[in-house]
Amino acid sequence: MSRQARLREEYPTWYSTVPPGRWQLAEALRRIVLRQLRHGRSWAPGPRILSRRHFECQGGSAAGPPQASDVERRRMVPRVTPRQGPTDAVEGSH
């Protein structure tokens, strides 16, 4: 089974193109979130593109530490401070 993820119900305003509560392929969601971040969202990702605070995951194998490709992709996303939403936009301790 492929790794799946779903947006938690508390964060629909953070991810306007992701329906909350619907299981999807985790890699597809990652691409959606990266595209959204590159096109003007007002927050920056933490150690993982799909924050454990914002997303639930199931199936497949859980990723270990962020992969080099994740680090490279994050460098392409401008770092800015959050304008709206919960104060946990940047996941630093997970």
Side-chain angles (χ1 to χ4, degrees), residues 9-87:
E9 299 288 336
E10 307 91 76
Y11 297 99
T13 58
W14 286 71
Y15 305 90
S16 59
T17 59
V18 178
R22 187 175 132 217
W23 290 107
Q24 299 182 55
L25 290 176
E27 183 58 33
L29 274 178
R30 253 181 85 211
R31 286 192 302 266
I32 291 167
V33 171
L34 282 168
R35 185 173 36 247
Q36 181 175 316
L37 286 166
R38 287 187 197 120
H39 291 97
R41 290 304 292 179
S42 59
W43 50 270
R48 297 181 184 277
I49 299 299
L50 298 181
S51 161
R52 289 182 180 162
R53 189 170 289 175
H54 297 184
F55 291 88
E56 294 177 83
C57 295
Q58 72 177 12
S61 61
Q67 300 173 4
S69 59
D70 288 341
V71 173
E72 280 302 312
R73 288 179 181 131
R74 258 191 245 87
R75 287 184 185 142
M76 297 168 55
V77 177
R79 279 236 183 249
V80 292
T81 56
R83 279 189 263 163
Q84 64 178 4
T87 57

